[in-house]
Amino acid sequence: MTIAARLLDVIEHDILPLTRQGVAAGNKVFGAAILRKSDLSLVIAETNNELENPLWHGEVHALKRFYETTPGIPTKDLIFLSTHEPCTMCMSAITWAGFDNFYYFFSNEDSRDAFAIPHDLKILKEVFGLEPGGYRRSNAFWHSHAISDLVETESEPQRAALKTQAAHIRAAYDGLSGIYQSGKDENKIPLA
């Protein structure tokens, strides 16, 4: 199994079910997982938990739970997977945790345009003066990877199958976004 195929499977079968529960409670649609580089096995999957704490974005909540449940695994041996391109807080958390990588499914522009959650790009612009995509995707700390780019490197018929799977994942998240957006005025998340 290729890394693109495995990451899509983890989103669909491990993160998405948790996100359905989180959205039903009033949380946003963001989730994350940590996998071993050696065999792509899942270490932990989590989802957004901003109702408990506005800092528990999917990525930060996954890191919190990782350190609570599986301490001692060196992050250099792990892959960080995010359903959505991490915001600046989450990128910093991934960096401070020592990961040398992260992979994401939806872009910051998707978060703004398809999910009506523009805060990531607003913070990049207002706080850091960066336009969308303005951060360095490869730097001294980590390399980031869009899963859609990995899918494009696959040979047929694998590429077509992964594109179909990606479309199913997008449709599921579109539905969850509608649920979240319809109820977000009821929650107490500061940047809903």
Side-chain angles (χ1 to χ4, degrees):
M1 176 176 281
T2 66
I3 190 166
R6 178 63 178 141
L7 296 178
L8 288 176
D9 280 351
V10 169
I11 291 171
E12 184 174 16
H13 302 294
D14 298 296
I15 301 172
L16 189 53
L18 296 171
T19 302
R20 282 189 180 102
Q21 294 171 4
V23 168
N27 288 295
K28 289 189 184 95
V29 296
F30 307 119
I34 298 170
L35 296 84
R36 293 182 191 277
K37 287 180 181 176
S38 61
D39 61 3
L40 302 181
S41 62
L42 180 68
V43 175
I44 194 161
E46 269 301 335
T47 194
N48 185 290
N49 194 11
E50 285 181 272
L51 289 175
E52 180 181 318
N53 181 327
L55 301 180
W56 295 160
H57 290 196
E59 299 90 339
V60 174
H61 197 238
L63 287 167
K64 172 189 178 292
R65 298 288 298 133
F66 168 72
Y67 283 105
E68 290 173 347
T69 61
T70 54
I73 302 174
T75 54
K76 69 176 180 54
D77 297 334
L78 300 171
I79 292 170
F80 197 95
L81 170 61
S82 182
T83 58
H84 294 69
E85 189 171 7
C87 71
T88 54
M89 177 183 72
C90 294
M91 275 192 265
S92 293
I94 291 165
T95 305
W96 280 105
F99 283 85
D100 63 7
N101 69 83
F102 67 82
Y103 294 78
Y104 61 91
F105 186 72
F106 294 104
S107 70
N108 286 146
E109 292 84 0
D110 290 330
S111 294
R112 178 192 63 206
D113 301 340
F115 296 98
I117 302 174
H119 315 302
D120 301 344
L121 291 177
K122 281 184 176 180
I123 290 169
L124 277 171
K125 178 71 173 171
E126 294 298 321
V127 177
F128 300 102
L130 297 174
E131 296 299 328
Y135 72 92
R136 294 180 59 209
R137 286 178 166 70
S138 287
N139 56 63
F141 297 102
W142 40 254
H143 302 282
S144 68
H145 310 274
I147 295 171
S148 59
D149 292 342
L150 297 176
V151 167
E152 288 301 324
T153 67
E154 297 286 344
S155 301
E156 293 298 348
Q158 176 80 344
R159 183 182 326 139
L162 293 177
K163 284 184 173 185
T164 298
Q165 183 179 16
H168 288 277
I169 292 169
R170 284 185 181 280
Y173 275 94
D174 286 346
L176 289 173
S177 178
I179 294 167
Y180 170 74
Q181 290 296 328
S182 69
K184 74 179 184 179
D185 292 338
E186 305 300 319
N187 68 33
K188 304 286 188 233
I189 299 171
L191 292 178

